[in-house]
Amino acid sequence: EGEDETDVLLRQYGLGRDEEDVIERYENAMAAFDDEEEQEEINIAIVGRPNVGKSSLLNNIFGGQRAIVSDVAGTTRDSIDAVMERPAPPGSDKAPTTYRFVDTAGIRRKGKVEFGPEFFMVNRALRAIRRADVALLVMDATAGVTEQDR
């Protein structure tokens, strides 16, 4: 009934499978992935103008020297990732939550950015914002909200 010589040989050696059996095994294998609890990761981009304290904020959150801090604008040239894991509540079957903080280079107004290292620094910072679930805007309290912060 529709079997050729190859099908007969495969079945004879226990290798042949009918279509329904293959589909059922595939669906069972894929369902196993549904049962796995995925660890949630929340991406948080720390953004703002140059020298407003983005790296200092990251260091304070993590309680250590994760990023270099200086009075010189432009010290952070590339995005720095720092990961923190919050365990699941006791007695819960939930997976822990992971927070990925991304300290970015300071972003200046588009017209003030020249092609070169600063251009790429700003583009990486903008890419971090696009990837982020949360964008944490850091502002200089002494300067107030500037036009660029808006």
Side-chain angles (χ1 to χ4, degrees):
E1 138 187 332
E3 286 187 332
D4 63 10
E5 187 179 332
T6 305
D7 291 331
V8 172
L9 285 171
L10 287 173
R11 193 168 35 78
Q12 184 178 10
Y13 291 101
L15 299 173
R17 299 208 173 273
D18 64 355
E19 184 177 340
E20 291 168 6
D21 186 35
V22 170
I23 291 172
E24 182 182 341
R25 290 182 65 162
Y26 171 77
E27 287 175 352
N28 289 340
M30 293 307 289
F33 289 108
D34 294 339
D35 294 340
E36 285 184 15
E37 185 79 26
E38 272 193 46
Q39 187 169 342
E40 184 179 7
E41 182 170 290
I42 299 172
N43 290 310
I44 303 165
I46 303 173
V47 297
R49 292 180 294 116
N51 250 33
V52 293
K54 297 177 298 296
S55 297
S56 295
L57 176 63
L58 180 78
N59 287 341
N60 280 307
I61 290 171
F62 283 87
Q65 182 87 15
R66 296 287 181 124
I68 298 171
V69 177
S70 168
D71 290 336
V72 178
T75 301
T76 303
R77 294 190 168 259
D78 203 357
S79 298
I80 299 167
D81 289 23
V83 178
M84 174 186 294
E85 187 175 286
R86 186 184 83 196
S92 159
D93 61 344
K94 290 187 170 190
T97 304
T98 301
Y99 298 92
R100 178 176 301 279
F101 290 84
V102 182
D103 179 20
T104 63
I107 301 172
R108 294 196 312 156
R109 220 176 291 132
K110 215 177 203 178
K112 298 212 176 222
V113 176
E114 295 179 20
F115 188 78
E118 188 178 16
F119 173 81
F120 294 104
M121 290 166 27
V122 170
N123 277 325
R124 282 191 293 271
L126 294 173
R127 188 178 320 130
I129 293 169
R130 285 192 297 272
R131 280 189 354 223
D133 298 306
V134 176
L136 187 59
L137 177 62
V138 180
M139 296 183 283
D140 183 350
T142 60
V145 180
T146 66
E147 187 63 37
Q148 185 177 343
D149 292 329
R150 295 170 202 238

